[in-house]
Amino acid sequence: DLNHPDLKENIKGGVNTILSNGSYADDNGHGTHVAGIIAATDNSFGVVGVSAKVDLYAIKVLNKRGSGYISDIIEGLQWAVDNSLQVVNMSLGASVDVPSFAAAVAAAHAAGLVMVAAAGNDYGGPVNYPARYEPVIAVSAVGSDDKIASFSCIGPEVDLAAPGVSIYSTYKGSSYATMSGTSMAAPHVAGVAALA
């Protein structure tokens, strides 16, 4: 939500890779929730992001239903590299290894981009891509009890665990919502990476 009062101060730009010259505004809600975890402004209302003073860029690679094409994600990674971003959060996942995706991740890593991704929400199932790729920091979710969430993918590819259960954050329509998922855990780590 480009006009969210808890985010707009930190939003510095973005891109829509789905539709050339299209708006990069969030029409799903998921991206706004993730953005708030990373960079909600430290003010007198709402929530405070992990890195509340970071420059935030919206890279819209999924449609309003939260689905899309690997090619659009690859284009988003390239945009991040071309625009000298330092950290990218990918709260998304796919179950199959696509060689062009792996190559794009490797190229982004070689260019110095720190990539953080959600491990996936299929407990007992394998870690999703791109989190499964070696250069990406794969994040699983824990609850307030510090135990792995019942939905979180697990496996040797997981690098870190972070809060991902009942996370209150910004949402589309200048509102707030509580959501759970490794999608909520990954931006906690991306926010710390941005601070570093």
Side-chain angles (χ1 to χ4, degrees):
D1 181 351
L2 304 179
N3 296 309
H4 199 294
D6 227 358
L7 292 173
K8 63 183 179 181
E9 181 179 314
N10 290 340
I11 297 171
K12 305 303 180 191
V15 66
N16 181 333
T17 65
I18 304 165
L19 181 63
S20 181
N21 298 318
S23 171
Y24 48 84
D26 179 16
D27 51 8
N28 175 277
H30 185 272
T32 301
H33 197 271
V34 167
I37 295 168
I38 296 170
T41 309
D42 187 359
N43 50 33
S44 60
F45 59 88
V47 295
V48 179
V50 174
S51 50
K53 294 183 179 180
V54 74
D55 289 346
L56 189 63
Y57 292 84
I59 303 177
K60 184 175 179 61
V61 298
L62 301 177
N63 64 26
K64 64 183 177 183
R65 293 179 302 279
S67 61
Y69 297 99
I70 297 292
S71 58
D72 290 327
I73 301 170
I74 291 170
E75 186 180 339
L77 279 175
Q78 188 59 53
W79 188 90
V81 170
D82 292 345
N83 287 274
S84 303
L85 302 191
Q86 295 173 299
V87 179
V88 67
N89 180 82
M90 293 182 280
S91 285
L92 49 80
S95 59
V96 294
D97 180 11
V98 178
S100 58
F101 198 9
V105 165
H109 177 69
L113 184 65
V114 175
M115 294 167 284
V116 180
N121 299 326
D122 180 24
Y123 187 82
V127 172
N128 288 346
Y129 297 95
R132 196 174 175 95
Y133 294 131
E134 177 60 33
V136 178
I137 300 170
V139 186
S140 61
V142 294
S144 58
D145 58 0
D146 286 335
K147 293 182 179 175
I148 292 291
S150 61
F151 54 78
S152 185
C153 285
I154 55 175
E157 300 86 2
V158 172
D159 297 297
L160 296 168
V165 178
S166 298
I167 305 300
Y168 187 68
S169 184
T170 50
Y171 199 70
K172 67 179 182 174
S174 296
S175 65
Y176 296 86
T178 300
M179 297 176 75
S180 297
T182 57
S183 283
M184 285 66 247
H188 280 90
V189 174
V192 172
L195 287 173

